[in-house]
Amino acid sequence: SANPLDAAAAAAELKPLLVNPEGSGSGGDEPVVFGLLRGEWEQLVDELQVGLSKNVEECVEFAPDGGKVAVRAGPSGSSSGTPGVELRVALQALEIIDSLDYGMAKVADLMIKHVFVPAISNISVTVSVEVLEKSGSTYPASVLNIVPSEELQGYKDGSVLYSRIIDVIKFARKFICVENITWTQSFAKLTWSRISDLVITHFLSEAVPDEASKLIGFQDVIRSTTEFENTLRGMMFISPDRKDGKLTQFVDDVEVHFAVRKRNEILVKARYILVQYDYKNPLASDDHGDSVVDLLFQPEKCFISKSALQLMKLVHGALKDACLSSARVAKEFCYAARDALLLYKAIVPVQLEKQLNSISPVAAIIHNDFYHLSQEILGLAFEYRADFPSGQQKLVVFVDLAPIFSQMADGILRRQIQLAAANLSEAIDGADGFQNTHQSQHCESAKFSIEQVVFILEKIHIMWESVLPRSIYRRSMFHVLGPVFSRITKDMLLIDDMAAEETLQVIIFCLKGLS
């Protein structure tokens, strides 16, 4: 049809008759004529919406490099070779056949790409609109430009950015949607979600304060954002029931966004501390004394790694900030403190697996770290709970972590004792039961065995005494020495008979070695 409005009206009139017509079945009882007519109707509608959509696209031209759009009241030429119709007529016809969103989809996508992206992502730009008069057979055109500007240095409260977006929307409403409310709402439905995401990405997320003291200054951003969405509601661009208030929702939850950012920062710092710390020779540092700490629930001291010291400093800082924050922010700070502690458990034993599976001073220090952290964890609730916001005092707990760290400490120490016992047992095996020590070969074997035992014990003594808490060191040495003396005594008692000189020789070895 030469008149798309007549064709669209005809298609709309036929729709209730051909699409699920009253009285017709959905199976084989449907008259054949309905199927034939429905096929022709569907073909007509498809041709109409494709042709009209192409017509709309030809009325809106975009600069390839973005930042510029020209809208004409009618197409300057038709790519199909048939004469086009005015933009207003094409949109009206699309509305009649319920294909308005289909017809505007391509234009909406290009508006986002070529206009809204540069308008929102670039700080220093301005929006200008130029209306060109009709020239000859050409339809009048309206041109919107996004041009660079040196005057604007930042978004600050966002009012400049929001004013710029409103100018673009007003242009689209006036020249693309021809001031039609229904067409404007269709354009909004196709663009608003992406506009909101661009604003959040390029402005609001970067405006979230870095420090709690700056949260008050964010009130200006909240105010301008609320005014922006209220303006769009007044323009009927977004729904009045606030369900489209994506930006307002974001700024209302700014405390949570702030807290999430701080939580991530804390965890990044904790991971850096744990991964970067050099455990190869922790006892050789110049500030060795700083690593000797008091145990919270024991009248003793122990040596811990710098990573554990820095980690607890980070945890205490997070909990102090929690005490000065609202309930929602405090919750995130407390979870960050918990997660930072759990990072130690997740990273260090894996990173130092080789050292933990051998007798080493590093293993003793890691034991101390876990032991110290378990006691510090028990004290956190007593130290901070009274100062937490009232909503978090009963919800945030740390005591459940203490047994986990205590068990890790016990497991590491138990493994060290087992390794020491295995090495000592292997050394004692070299004496071959301390038999026939009056013979030169057996005498040397027994002597070497005792020397090996003494060497291992001296090594363990040096590694453990300066690191472990005194009570744990004594208990650990008891667990190591007990089996040594028991094994040597047992081997001697298994000897059927021993000459006087053999007995004297073994006694001399033992006294010299263990003295």
Short mmCIF file of all heavy atoms in Angstrom, two decimals, residues 207-271:
data_model
loop_
_atom_site.label_atom_id
_atom_site.label_comp_id
_atom_site.label_asym_id
_atom_site.label_seq_id
_atom_site.Cartn_x
_atom_site.Cartn_y
_atom_site.Cartn_z
N ALA A 207 32.61 8.17 42.50
CA ALA A 207 32.32 9.20 43.51
C ALA A 207 32.14 8.63 44.91
O ALA A 207 32.06 9.38 45.88
CB ALA A 207 31.07 9.99 43.11
N VAL A 208 32.06 7.30 45.02
CA VAL A 208 31.92 6.68 46.34
C VAL A 208 33.14 7.05 47.18
O VAL A 208 34.27 6.87 46.74
CB VAL A 208 31.79 5.15 46.21
CG1 VAL A 208 31.79 4.50 47.59
CG2 VAL A 208 30.50 4.79 45.47
N PRO A 209 32.97 7.58 48.37
CA PRO A 209 34.10 8.07 49.18
C PRO A 209 35.10 6.99 49.53
O PRO A 209 34.74 5.80 49.64
CB PRO A 209 33.40 8.62 50.45
CG PRO A 209 31.99 8.86 50.05
CD PRO A 209 31.66 7.82 49.02
N ASP A 210 36.35 7.40 49.70
CA ASP A 210 37.40 6.48 50.13
C ASP A 210 37.47 6.37 51.65
O ASP A 210 37.98 5.39 52.17
CB ASP A 210 38.76 6.96 49.60
CG ASP A 210 38.83 6.90 48.09
OD1 ASP A 210 38.25 5.97 47.53
OD2 ASP A 210 39.46 7.79 47.49
N GLU A 211 36.99 7.41 52.35
CA GLU A 211 37.07 7.43 53.79
C GLU A 211 35.68 7.74 54.36
O GLU A 211 34.87 8.43 53.74
CB GLU A 211 38.07 8.49 54.27
CG GLU A 211 39.48 8.27 53.76
CD GLU A 211 40.41 9.39 54.15
OE1 GLU A 211 39.96 10.29 54.90
OE2 GLU A 211 41.56 9.38 53.70
N ALA A 212 35.47 7.23 55.57
CA ALA A 212 34.16 7.44 56.20
C ALA A 212 33.87 8.92 56.40
O ALA A 212 32.71 9.35 56.33
CB ALA A 212 34.11 6.70 57.54
N SER A 213 34.90 9.72 56.63
CA SER A 213 34.70 11.16 56.88
C SER A 213 34.17 11.88 55.65
O SER A 213 33.62 12.98 55.76
CB SER A 213 36.02 11.79 57.31
OG SER A 213 37.01 11.63 56.31
N LYS A 214 34.32 11.27 54.45
CA LYS A 214 33.87 11.91 53.21
C LYS A 214 32.44 11.54 52.84
O LYS A 214 31.92 12.02 51.84
CB LYS A 214 34.81 11.54 52.07
CG LYS A 214 36.23 12.06 52.25
CD LYS A 214 37.11 11.67 51.08
CE LYS A 214 38.54 12.18 51.27
NZ LYS A 214 39.41 11.79 50.13
N LEU A 215 31.83 10.68 53.65
CA LEU A 215 30.46 10.27 53.34
C LEU A 215 29.50 11.45 53.39
O LEU A 215 28.51 11.50 52.65
CB LEU A 215 30.00 9.18 54.31
CG LEU A 215 30.56 7.77 54.06
CD1 LEU A 215 30.18 6.85 55.20
CD2 LEU A 215 30.06 7.22 52.74
N ILE A 216 29.78 12.42 54.27
CA ILE A 216 28.90 13.59 54.38
C ILE A 216 28.91 14.38 53.08
O ILE A 216 27.86 14.84 52.61
CB ILE A 216 29.34 14.47 55.57
CG1 ILE A 216 29.20 13.70 56.88
CG2 ILE A 216 28.53 15.76 55.60
CD1 ILE A 216 29.69 14.47 58.09
N GLY A 217 30.08 14.54 52.46
CA GLY A 217 30.17 15.28 51.21
C GLY A 217 29.42 14.61 50.07
O GLY A 217 29.06 15.27 49.09
N PHE A 218 29.17 13.31 50.19
CA PHE A 218 28.45 12.59 49.15
C PHE A 218 26.98 12.96 49.13
O PHE A 218 26.27 12.62 48.18
CB PHE A 218 28.62 11.08 49.37
CG PHE A 218 28.22 10.25 48.18
CD1 PHE A 218 29.05 10.16 47.07
CD2 PHE A 218 27.03 9.56 48.17
CE1 PHE A 218 28.69 9.39 45.98
CE2 PHE A 218 26.66 8.79 47.09
CZ PHE A 218 27.50 8.71 45.99
N GLN A 219 26.51 13.67 50.15
CA GLN A 219 25.10 14.08 50.18
C GLN A 219 24.76 14.96 48.99
O GLN A 219 23.62 14.93 48.50
CB GLN A 219 24.81 14.82 51.49
CG GLN A 219 24.95 13.97 52.74
CD GLN A 219 24.03 12.76 52.71
OE1 GLN A 219 22.85 12.88 52.40
NE2 GLN A 219 24.58 11.60 53.04
N ASP A 220 25.71 15.76 48.49
CA ASP A 220 25.46 16.59 47.31
C ASP A 220 25.20 15.73 46.08
O ASP A 220 24.36 16.07 45.23
CB ASP A 220 26.64 17.53 47.05
CG ASP A 220 26.79 18.60 48.12
OD1 ASP A 220 25.77 18.90 48.79
OD2 ASP A 220 27.90 19.12 48.30
N VAL A 221 25.93 14.62 45.98
CA VAL A 221 25.72 13.70 44.87
C VAL A 221 24.34 13.05 44.98
O VAL A 221 23.62 12.91 43.98
CB VAL A 221 26.82 12.62 44.83
CG1 VAL A 221 26.54 11.60 43.73
CG2 VAL A 221 28.19 13.25 44.64
N ILE A 222 23.96 12.67 46.19
CA ILE A 222 22.64 12.07 46.41
C ILE A 222 21.55 13.07 46.01
O ILE A 222 20.57 12.70 45.33
CB ILE A 222 22.48 11.65 47.88
CG1 ILE A 222 23.48 10.56 48.24
CG2 ILE A 222 21.05 11.19 48.16
CD1 ILE A 222 23.48 10.16 49.69
N ARG A 223 21.72 14.33 46.41
CA ARG A 223 20.71 15.35 46.10
C ARG A 223 20.58 15.56 44.59
O ARG A 223 19.46 15.54 44.05
CB ARG A 223 21.10 16.67 46.77
CG ARG A 223 20.19 17.84 46.42
CD ARG A 223 20.74 19.15 46.95
NE ARG A 223 22.14 19.34 46.61
CZ ARG A 223 22.56 19.68 45.39
NH1 ARG A 223 21.70 19.86 44.41
NH2 ARG A 223 23.85 19.85 45.17
N SER A 224 21.69 15.73 43.89
CA SER A 224 21.62 15.98 42.45
C SER A 224 21.10 14.77 41.68
O SER A 224 20.38 14.91 40.69
CB SER A 224 23.00 16.39 41.90
OG SER A 224 23.94 15.34 42.07
N THR A 225 21.44 13.57 42.16
CA THR A 225 20.95 12.35 41.51
C THR A 225 19.44 12.22 41.68
O THR A 225 18.73 11.86 40.73
CB THR A 225 21.66 11.11 42.09
OG1 THR A 225 23.07 11.24 41.92
CG2 THR A 225 21.19 9.84 41.41
N THR A 226 18.96 12.52 42.87
CA THR A 226 17.51 12.47 43.11
C THR A 226 16.78 13.50 42.25
O THR A 226 15.73 13.20 41.65
CB THR A 226 17.22 12.74 44.60
OG1 THR A 226 17.93 11.78 45.40
CG2 THR A 226 15.73 12.64 44.89
N GLU A 227 17.32 14.70 42.16
CA GLU A 227 16.71 15.74 41.32
C GLU A 227 16.71 15.32 39.85
O GLU A 227 15.74 15.59 39.12
CB GLU A 227 17.46 17.05 41.50
CG GLU A 227 17.29 17.69 42.87
CD GLU A 227 18.13 18.96 43.03
OE1 GLU A 227 18.91 19.27 42.09
OE2 GLU A 227 18.02 19.61 44.08
N PHE A 228 17.77 14.67 39.41
CA PHE A 228 17.87 14.21 38.02
C PHE A 228 16.75 13.22 37.69
O PHE A 228 16.03 13.38 36.68
CB PHE A 228 19.24 13.58 37.80
CG PHE A 228 19.40 12.87 36.49
CD1 PHE A 228 19.27 13.55 35.29
CD2 PHE A 228 19.69 11.51 36.47
CE1 PHE A 228 19.43 12.88 34.07
CE2 PHE A 228 19.85 10.84 35.26
CZ PHE A 228 19.72 11.52 34.07
N GLU A 229 16.60 12.22 38.53
CA GLU A 229 15.55 11.23 38.25
C GLU A 229 14.16 11.83 38.39
O GLU A 229 13.25 11.46 37.64
CB GLU A 229 15.72 10.01 39.16
CG GLU A 229 16.93 9.15 38.77
CD GLU A 229 16.91 7.79 39.43
OE1 GLU A 229 16.20 7.62 40.44
OE2 GLU A 229 17.62 6.89 38.93
N ASN A 230 13.98 12.76 39.31
CA ASN A 230 12.67 13.43 39.43
C ASN A 230 12.36 14.24 38.17
O ASN A 230 11.19 14.30 37.73
CB ASN A 230 12.65 14.33 40.66
CG ASN A 230 12.56 13.54 41.95
OD1 ASN A 230 12.11 12.39 41.96
ND2 ASN A 230 12.98 14.14 43.05
N THR A 231 13.39 14.85 37.59
CA THR A 231 13.19 15.58 36.33
C THR A 231 12.76 14.64 35.22
O THR A 231 11.85 14.95 34.42
CB THR A 231 14.49 16.32 35.94
OG1 THR A 231 14.85 17.23 36.97
CG2 THR A 231 14.30 17.07 34.62
N LEU A 232 13.39 13.49 35.15
CA LEU A 232 13.03 12.51 34.12
C LEU A 232 11.61 11.98 34.33
O LEU A 232 10.90 11.69 33.37
CB LEU A 232 14.04 11.35 34.12
CG LEU A 232 15.48 11.70 33.72
CD1 LEU A 232 16.33 10.44 33.67
CD2 LEU A 232 15.52 12.42 32.38
N ARG A 233 11.20 11.87 35.58
CA ARG A 233 9.82 11.46 35.85
C ARG A 233 8.84 12.53 35.37
O ARG A 233 7.78 12.23 34.82
CB ARG A 233 9.63 11.18 37.34
CG ARG A 233 10.33 9.94 37.83
CD ARG A 233 9.96 9.59 39.27
NE ARG A 233 10.71 8.42 39.71
CZ ARG A 233 11.87 8.46 40.34
NH1 ARG A 233 12.41 9.63 40.64
NH2 ARG A 233 12.48 7.35 40.68
N GLY A 234 9.21 13.79 35.60
CA GLY A 234 8.35 14.88 35.13
C GLY A 234 8.25 14.90 33.61
O GLY A 234 7.23 15.34 33.07
N MET A 235 9.29 14.44 32.93
CA MET A 235 9.28 14.38 31.46
C MET A 235 8.61 13.11 30.96
O MET A 235 8.56 12.87 29.75
CB MET A 235 10.72 14.44 30.94
CG MET A 235 11.45 15.73 31.25
SD MET A 235 13.25 15.61 30.92
CE MET A 235 13.27 15.20 29.18
N MET A 236 8.14 12.24 31.90
CA MET A 236 7.53 10.95 31.57
C MET A 236 8.53 10.01 30.88
O MET A 236 8.16 9.11 30.15
CB MET A 236 6.30 11.14 30.67
CG MET A 236 5.22 12.03 31.27
SD MET A 236 4.52 11.32 32.79
CE MET A 236 3.61 9.94 32.13
N PHE A 237 9.83 10.26 31.13
CA PHE A 237 10.86 9.41 30.54
C PHE A 237 11.02 8.12 31.34
O PHE A 237 11.33 7.06 30.79
CB PHE A 237 12.18 10.17 30.47
CG PHE A 237 13.24 9.49 29.66
CD1 PHE A 237 13.22 9.53 28.27
CD2 PHE A 237 14.27 8.80 30.27
CE1 PHE A 237 14.19 8.90 27.52
CE2 PHE A 237 15.26 8.16 29.53
CZ PHE A 237 15.21 8.22 28.14
N ILE A 238 10.88 8.21 32.66
CA ILE A 238 10.88 7.01 33.51
C ILE A 238 9.60 7.00 34.31
O ILE A 238 8.95 8.04 34.48
CB ILE A 238 12.12 6.95 34.43
CG1 ILE A 238 12.18 8.15 35.36
CG2 ILE A 238 13.39 6.84 33.61
CD1 ILE A 238 13.35 8.11 36.33
N SER A 239 9.24 5.83 34.85
CA SER A 239 7.95 5.66 35.50
C SER A 239 7.89 6.46 36.80
O SER A 239 8.90 6.59 37.51
CB SER A 239 7.69 4.18 35.80
OG SER A 239 8.69 3.67 36.67
N PRO A 240 6.74 6.95 37.16
CA PRO A 240 6.61 7.76 38.38
C PRO A 240 6.60 6.94 39.66
O PRO A 240 6.66 7.49 40.75
CB PRO A 240 5.25 8.46 38.17
CG PRO A 240 4.49 7.55 37.28
CD PRO A 240 5.49 6.92 36.37
N ASP A 241 6.54 5.61 39.56
CA ASP A 241 6.45 4.78 40.76
C ASP A 241 7.82 4.43 41.35
O ASP A 241 7.92 3.58 42.24
CB ASP A 241 5.67 3.49 40.47
CG ASP A 241 6.30 2.69 39.33
OD1 ASP A 241 7.39 3.06 38.87
OD2 ASP A 241 5.68 1.70 38.91
N ARG A 242 8.90 5.04 40.80
CA ARG A 242 10.26 4.91 41.32
C ARG A 242 10.88 3.53 41.07
O ARG A 242 11.97 3.25 41.55
CB ARG A 242 10.34 5.24 42.82
CG ARG A 242 9.74 6.58 43.19
CD ARG A 242 9.96 6.92 44.65
NE ARG A 242 11.33 7.30 44.90
CZ ARG A 242 11.81 8.53 44.72
NH1 ARG A 242 11.03 9.48 44.27
NH2 ARG A 242 13.08 8.81 44.98
N LYS A 243 10.18 2.67 40.32
CA LYS A 243 10.78 1.35 40.07
C LYS A 243 11.96 1.45 39.10
O LYS A 243 12.79 0.54 39.01
CB LYS A 243 9.73 0.38 39.53
CG LYS A 243 9.23 0.69 38.13
CD LYS A 243 8.24 -0.37 37.68
CE LYS A 243 7.77 -0.10 36.24
NZ LYS A 243 6.81 -1.14 35.79
N ASP A 244 12.03 2.57 38.35
CA ASP A 244 13.16 2.79 37.44
C ASP A 244 14.26 3.63 38.08
O ASP A 244 15.19 4.05 37.40
CB ASP A 244 12.67 3.52 36.17
CG ASP A 244 11.77 2.64 35.31
OD1 ASP A 244 11.94 1.41 35.38
OD2 ASP A 244 10.92 3.18 34.60
N GLY A 245 14.14 3.87 39.38
CA GLY A 245 15.12 4.72 40.06
C GLY A 245 16.41 4.00 40.38
O GLY A 245 16.83 3.90 41.55
N LYS A 246 17.09 3.52 39.35
CA LYS A 246 18.31 2.75 39.53
C LYS A 246 19.44 3.58 40.14
O LYS A 246 20.20 3.11 40.99
CB LYS A 246 18.74 2.18 38.18
CG LYS A 246 19.84 1.14 38.22
CD LYS A 246 20.03 0.55 36.83
CE LYS A 246 21.12 -0.52 36.84
NZ LYS A 246 21.29 -1.12 35.49
N LEU A 247 19.54 4.82 39.70
CA LEU A 247 20.61 5.70 40.20
C LEU A 247 20.37 6.10 41.65
O LEU A 247 21.29 6.12 42.47
CB LEU A 247 20.73 6.94 39.32
CG LEU A 247 21.00 6.69 37.83
CD1 LEU A 247 21.13 8.00 37.09
CD2 LEU A 247 22.26 5.85 37.66
N THR A 248 19.11 6.43 41.96
CA THR A 248 18.77 6.79 43.34
C THR A 248 19.04 5.62 44.28
O THR A 248 19.54 5.80 45.40
CB THR A 248 17.29 7.22 43.44
OG1 THR A 248 17.06 8.28 42.51
CG2 THR A 248 16.96 7.69 44.84
N GLN A 249 18.70 4.43 43.82
CA GLN A 249 18.95 3.24 44.64
C GLN A 249 20.44 3.07 44.90
O GLN A 249 20.87 2.73 46.01
CB GLN A 249 18.40 2.00 43.94
CG GLN A 249 18.57 0.69 44.71
CD GLN A 249 17.80 0.69 46.00
OE1 GLN A 249 16.64 1.11 46.04
NE2 GLN A 249 18.42 0.23 47.07
N PHE A 250 21.24 3.35 43.87
CA PHE A 250 22.69 3.22 44.02
C PHE A 250 23.22 4.20 45.07
O PHE A 250 23.98 3.81 45.97
CB PHE A 250 23.37 3.47 42.67
CG PHE A 250 24.86 3.23 42.70
CD1 PHE A 250 25.39 2.03 42.31
CD2 PHE A 250 25.73 4.25 43.10
CE1 PHE A 250 26.77 1.82 42.34
CE2 PHE A 250 27.10 4.05 43.13
CZ PHE A 250 27.62 2.83 42.74
N VAL A 251 22.84 5.47 44.96
CA VAL A 251 23.38 6.46 45.91
C VAL A 251 22.81 6.26 47.30
O VAL A 251 23.48 6.57 48.30
CB VAL A 251 23.13 7.90 45.42
CG1 VAL A 251 23.89 8.16 44.14
CG2 VAL A 251 21.65 8.18 45.23
N ASP A 252 21.58 5.75 47.39
CA ASP A 252 21.02 5.47 48.71
C ASP A 252 21.82 4.38 49.42
O ASP A 252 21.92 4.35 50.64
CB ASP A 252 19.55 5.05 48.60
CG ASP A 252 18.63 6.23 48.31
OD1 ASP A 252 19.07 7.38 48.49
OD2 ASP A 252 17.48 6.00 47.90
N ASP A 253 22.39 3.49 48.64
CA ASP A 253 23.17 2.39 49.20
C ASP A 253 24.67 2.70 49.21
O ASP A 253 25.50 1.80 49.27
CB ASP A 253 22.94 1.10 48.40
CG ASP A 253 21.54 0.56 48.57
OD1 ASP A 253 20.88 0.93 49.56
OD2 ASP A 253 21.09 -0.21 47.71
N VAL A 254 25.01 3.99 49.16
CA VAL A 254 26.41 4.36 49.04
C VAL A 254 27.24 3.84 50.20
O VAL A 254 28.41 3.49 50.04
CB VAL A 254 26.56 5.89 48.91
CG1 VAL A 254 26.15 6.59 50.20
CG2 VAL A 254 27.98 6.26 48.53
N GLU A 255 26.66 3.79 51.39
CA GLU A 255 27.41 3.28 52.54
C GLU A 255 27.86 1.85 52.29
O GLU A 255 28.98 1.46 52.62
CB GLU A 255 26.57 3.35 53.80
CG GLU A 255 26.41 4.75 54.36
CD GLU A 255 25.71 4.75 55.69
OE1 GLU A 255 24.86 3.87 55.92
OE2 GLU A 255 26.01 5.63 56.51
N VAL A 256 26.96 1.08 51.69
CA VAL A 256 27.30 -0.31 51.40
C VAL A 256 28.39 -0.37 50.34
O VAL A 256 29.35 -1.15 50.46
CB VAL A 256 26.05 -1.09 50.94
CG1 VAL A 256 26.44 -2.50 50.50
CG2 VAL A 256 25.02 -1.14 52.05
N HIS A 257 28.27 0.46 49.30
CA HIS A 257 29.30 0.47 48.26
C HIS A 257 30.64 0.90 48.85
O HIS A 257 31.69 0.35 48.51
CB HIS A 257 28.89 1.43 47.14
CG HIS A 257 27.67 1.00 46.39
ND1 HIS A 257 27.65 -0.11 45.59
CD2 HIS A 257 26.42 1.52 46.34
CE1 HIS A 257 26.45 -0.26 45.07
NE2 HIS A 257 25.69 0.72 45.51
N PHE A 258 30.60 1.91 49.71
CA PHE A 258 31.82 2.35 50.37
C PHE A 258 32.43 1.21 51.19
O PHE A 258 33.63 0.95 51.13
CB PHE A 258 31.49 3.54 51.29
CG PHE A 258 32.58 3.88 52.27
CD1 PHE A 258 33.72 4.55 51.88
CD2 PHE A 258 32.46 3.50 53.61
CE1 PHE A 258 34.72 4.85 52.79
CE2 PHE A 258 33.44 3.79 54.52
CZ PHE A 258 34.59 4.48 54.11
N ALA A 259 31.57 0.54 51.94
CA ALA A 259 32.06 -0.54 52.80
C ALA A 259 32.61 -1.71 51.98
O ALA A 259 33.63 -2.30 52.34
CB ALA A 259 30.93 -1.02 53.71
N VAL A 260 31.94 -2.03 50.87
CA VAL A 260 32.42 -3.12 50.02
C VAL A 260 33.79 -2.78 49.44
O VAL A 260 34.68 -3.62 49.38
CB VAL A 260 31.40 -3.41 48.89
CG1 VAL A 260 32.01 -4.34 47.84
CG2 VAL A 260 30.14 -4.02 49.47
N ARG A 261 33.94 -1.51 49.03
CA ARG A 261 35.24 -1.09 48.50
C ARG A 261 36.32 -1.20 49.58
O ARG A 261 37.42 -1.71 49.32
CB ARG A 261 35.15 0.35 47.99
CG ARG A 261 36.51 0.90 47.56
CD ARG A 261 36.43 2.36 47.13
NE ARG A 261 35.73 2.52 45.88
CZ ARG A 261 35.54 3.69 45.28
NH1 ARG A 261 35.99 4.80 45.84
NH2 ARG A 261 34.91 3.76 44.13
N LYS A 262 36.03 -0.73 50.78
CA LYS A 262 37.00 -0.81 51.86
C LYS A 262 37.31 -2.26 52.21
O LYS A 262 38.46 -2.62 52.51
CB LYS A 262 36.48 -0.07 53.10
CG LYS A 262 36.31 1.42 52.91
CD LYS A 262 37.62 2.12 52.59
CE LYS A 262 38.58 2.13 53.76
NZ LYS A 262 39.82 2.88 53.47
N ARG A 263 36.28 -3.09 52.17
CA ARG A 263 36.48 -4.52 52.46
C ARG A 263 37.45 -5.13 51.44
O ARG A 263 38.37 -5.87 51.81
CB ARG A 263 35.14 -5.25 52.43
CG ARG A 263 35.23 -6.75 52.69
CD ARG A 263 33.84 -7.37 52.67
NE ARG A 263 33.89 -8.79 52.92
CZ ARG A 263 32.82 -9.58 52.98
NH1 ARG A 263 31.61 -9.04 52.83
NH2 ARG A 263 32.93 -10.86 53.21
N ASN A 264 37.24 -4.81 50.17
CA ASN A 264 38.12 -5.34 49.14
C ASN A 264 39.54 -4.82 49.32
O ASN A 264 40.52 -5.56 49.12
CB ASN A 264 37.60 -4.95 47.76
CG ASN A 264 36.32 -5.68 47.40
OD1 ASN A 264 36.03 -6.74 47.95
ND2 ASN A 264 35.53 -5.10 46.50
N GLU A 265 39.67 -3.55 49.70
CA GLU A 265 41.00 -2.98 49.93
C GLU A 265 41.71 -3.69 51.07
O GLU A 265 42.91 -3.98 50.99
CB GLU A 265 40.88 -1.49 50.23
CG GLU A 265 40.50 -0.63 49.03
CD GLU A 265 40.32 0.83 49.40
OE1 GLU A 265 40.52 1.17 50.60
OE2 GLU A 265 39.99 1.63 48.51
N ILE A 266 40.98 -3.98 52.12
CA ILE A 266 41.56 -4.67 53.28
C ILE A 266 42.05 -6.06 52.87
O ILE A 266 43.16 -6.48 53.23
CB ILE A 266 40.54 -4.76 54.42
CG1 ILE A 266 40.31 -3.36 55.03
CG2 ILE A 266 41.01 -5.73 55.51
CD1 ILE A 266 39.14 -3.30 55.99
N LEU A 267 41.25 -6.76 52.10
CA LEU A 267 41.63 -8.12 51.69
C LEU A 267 42.81 -8.10 50.72
O LEU A 267 43.67 -8.98 50.78
CB LEU A 267 40.43 -8.83 51.06
CG LEU A 267 39.27 -9.10 52.01
CD1 LEU A 267 38.14 -9.82 51.29
CD2 LEU A 267 39.73 -9.93 53.20
N VAL A 268 42.86 -7.09 49.85
CA VAL A 268 44.00 -6.96 48.94
C VAL A 268 45.28 -6.71 49.74
O VAL A 268 46.33 -7.30 49.47
CB VAL A 268 43.76 -5.83 47.92
CG1 VAL A 268 45.04 -5.50 47.17
CG2 VAL A 268 42.66 -6.23 46.94
N LYS A 269 45.20 -5.83 50.74
CA LYS A 269 46.36 -5.55 51.58
C LYS A 269 46.78 -6.81 52.36
O LYS A 269 47.98 -7.10 52.47
CB LYS A 269 46.04 -4.43 52.56
CG LYS A 269 45.93 -3.05 51.91
CD LYS A 269 45.59 -1.99 52.94
CE LYS A 269 45.43 -0.62 52.31
NZ LYS A 269 45.04 0.41 53.32
N ALA A 270 45.79 -7.52 52.89
CA ALA A 270 46.10 -8.73 53.66
C ALA A 270 46.80 -9.76 52.77
O ALA A 270 47.80 -10.38 53.17
CB ALA A 270 44.82 -9.32 54.25
N ARG A 271 46.29 -9.95 51.59
CA ARG A 271 46.90 -10.92 50.69
C ARG A 271 48.32 -10.50 50.31
O ARG A 271 49.23 -11.34 50.25
CB ARG A 271 46.05 -11.07 49.42
CG ARG A 271 46.54 -12.18 48.49
CD ARG A 271 45.71 -12.27 47.21
NE ARG A 271 46.16 -13.37 46.40
CZ ARG A 271 47.23 -13.34 45.60
NH1 ARG A 271 47.94 -12.22 45.54
NH2 ARG A 271 47.58 -14.40 44.89
#
